[in-house]
Short mmCIF file of all heavy atoms in Angstrom, two decimals:
data_model
loop_
_atom_site.label_atom_id
_atom_site.label_comp_id
_atom_site.label_asym_id
_atom_site.label_seq_id
_atom_site.Cartn_x
_atom_site.Cartn_y
_atom_site.Cartn_z
N SER A 29 5.89 -3.68 11.91
CA SER A 29 4.93 -3.26 10.79
C SER A 29 3.92 -2.33 11.19
O SER A 29 3.56 -1.32 10.56
CB SER A 29 4.39 -4.47 10.08
OG SER A 29 3.51 -4.10 9.03
N GLU A 30 3.23 -2.61 12.25
CA GLU A 30 2.19 -1.87 12.83
C GLU A 30 2.16 -1.90 14.40
O GLU A 30 2.66 -2.82 14.92
CB GLU A 30 0.82 -2.43 12.41
CG GLU A 30 0.58 -2.41 10.91
CD GLU A 30 -0.65 -3.13 10.49
OE1 GLU A 30 -1.72 -2.91 11.13
OE2 GLU A 30 -0.58 -3.93 9.61
N LEU A 31 1.73 -0.75 14.96
CA LEU A 31 1.79 -0.60 16.47
C LEU A 31 0.52 0.04 16.88
O LEU A 31 0.31 1.18 16.28
CB LEU A 31 3.06 0.05 16.92
CG LEU A 31 3.15 0.23 18.47
CD1 LEU A 31 3.28 -1.10 19.15
CD2 LEU A 31 4.35 1.13 18.82
N TYR A 32 -0.21 -0.53 17.78
CA TYR A 32 -1.45 0.04 18.31
C TYR A 32 -1.48 0.05 19.87
O TYR A 32 -1.00 -0.79 20.48
CB TYR A 32 -2.66 -0.78 17.79
CG TYR A 32 -2.81 -0.84 16.31
CD1 TYR A 32 -2.25 -1.92 15.57
CD2 TYR A 32 -3.51 0.14 15.65
CE1 TYR A 32 -2.33 -1.97 14.17
CE2 TYR A 32 -3.69 0.11 14.20
CZ TYR A 32 -3.06 -0.93 13.56
OH TYR A 32 -3.25 -1.00 12.13
N SER A 33 -2.27 1.08 20.33
CA SER A 33 -2.50 1.02 21.75
C SER A 33 -3.80 0.21 21.89
O SER A 33 -4.61 0.12 20.98
CB SER A 33 -2.85 2.43 22.41
OG SER A 33 -3.87 3.11 21.60
N THR A 34 -3.94 -0.48 23.09
CA THR A 34 -5.12 -1.41 23.23
C THR A 34 -5.72 -1.23 24.55
O THR A 34 -5.07 -0.70 25.58
CB THR A 34 -4.60 -2.86 23.11
OG1 THR A 34 -3.55 -3.12 24.02
CG2 THR A 34 -4.16 -3.12 21.68
N SER A 35 -6.86 -1.70 24.73
CA SER A 35 -7.58 -1.79 26.03
C SER A 35 -7.33 -3.15 26.64
O SER A 35 -7.05 -4.13 25.94
CB SER A 35 -9.06 -1.47 25.90
OG SER A 35 -9.65 -2.42 25.15
N GLY A 36 -7.58 -3.28 27.90
CA GLY A 36 -7.41 -4.59 28.55
C GLY A 36 -6.15 -4.81 29.26
O GLY A 36 -5.51 -3.83 29.83
N GLU A 37 -5.68 -6.08 29.35
CA GLU A 37 -4.50 -6.39 30.13
C GLU A 37 -3.17 -5.81 29.58
O GLU A 37 -2.29 -5.61 30.33
CB GLU A 37 -4.33 -7.97 30.21
CG GLU A 37 -4.93 -8.55 31.37
CD GLU A 37 -4.63 -10.04 31.50
OE1 GLU A 37 -3.37 -10.30 31.72
OE2 GLU A 37 -5.44 -10.98 31.25
N TYR A 38 -3.15 -5.58 28.26
CA TYR A 38 -1.89 -5.20 27.64
C TYR A 38 -2.20 -3.78 27.08
O TYR A 38 -3.34 -3.37 26.78
CB TYR A 38 -1.44 -6.16 26.55
CG TYR A 38 -0.91 -7.44 27.13
CD1 TYR A 38 -1.80 -8.45 27.47
CD2 TYR A 38 0.38 -7.55 27.44
CE1 TYR A 38 -1.41 -9.60 28.01
CE2 TYR A 38 0.93 -8.66 28.06
CZ TYR A 38 -0.04 -9.73 28.28
OH TYR A 38 0.47 -10.92 28.95
N ASP A 39 -1.10 -2.93 27.12
CA ASP A 39 -1.26 -1.59 26.61
C ASP A 39 -0.96 -1.33 25.14
O ASP A 39 -1.49 -0.40 24.53
CB ASP A 39 -0.14 -0.72 27.40
CG ASP A 39 -0.40 -0.91 28.83
OD1 ASP A 39 -1.49 -0.51 29.29
OD2 ASP A 39 0.51 -1.32 29.57
N LEU A 40 -0.11 -2.24 24.48
CA LEU A 40 0.24 -1.98 23.15
C LEU A 40 0.27 -3.39 22.32
O LEU A 40 0.47 -4.44 23.07
CB LEU A 40 1.65 -1.52 23.00
CG LEU A 40 1.92 -0.17 23.57
CD1 LEU A 40 3.49 0.11 23.70
CD2 LEU A 40 1.25 0.92 22.82
N ILE A 41 -0.08 -3.42 21.05
CA ILE A 41 0.16 -4.69 20.29
C ILE A 41 0.92 -4.28 19.07
O ILE A 41 0.62 -3.21 18.43
CB ILE A 41 -1.21 -5.26 20.02
CG1 ILE A 41 -0.99 -6.63 19.30
CG2 ILE A 41 -2.14 -4.33 19.23
CD1 ILE A 41 -2.23 -7.52 19.20
N ALA A 42 1.83 -5.01 18.65
CA ALA A 42 2.66 -4.81 17.44
C ALA A 42 2.48 -6.02 16.52
O ALA A 42 2.51 -7.18 16.94
CB ALA A 42 4.13 -4.64 17.84
N LYS A 43 2.52 -5.71 15.27
CA LYS A 43 2.64 -6.70 14.17
C LYS A 43 4.08 -6.66 13.70
O LYS A 43 4.61 -5.60 13.32
CB LYS A 43 1.60 -6.42 13.13
CG LYS A 43 1.61 -7.40 11.95
CD LYS A 43 0.49 -7.01 11.01
CE LYS A 43 0.33 -8.07 9.91
NZ LYS A 43 -0.66 -7.66 8.96
#
Side-chain angles (χ1 to χ4, degrees):
S29 171
E30 300 173 46
L31 180 65
Y32 298 94
S33 60
T34 58
S35 61
E37 266 189 70
Y38 291 85
D39 303 301
L40 302 167
I41 187 168
K43 184 177 186 181

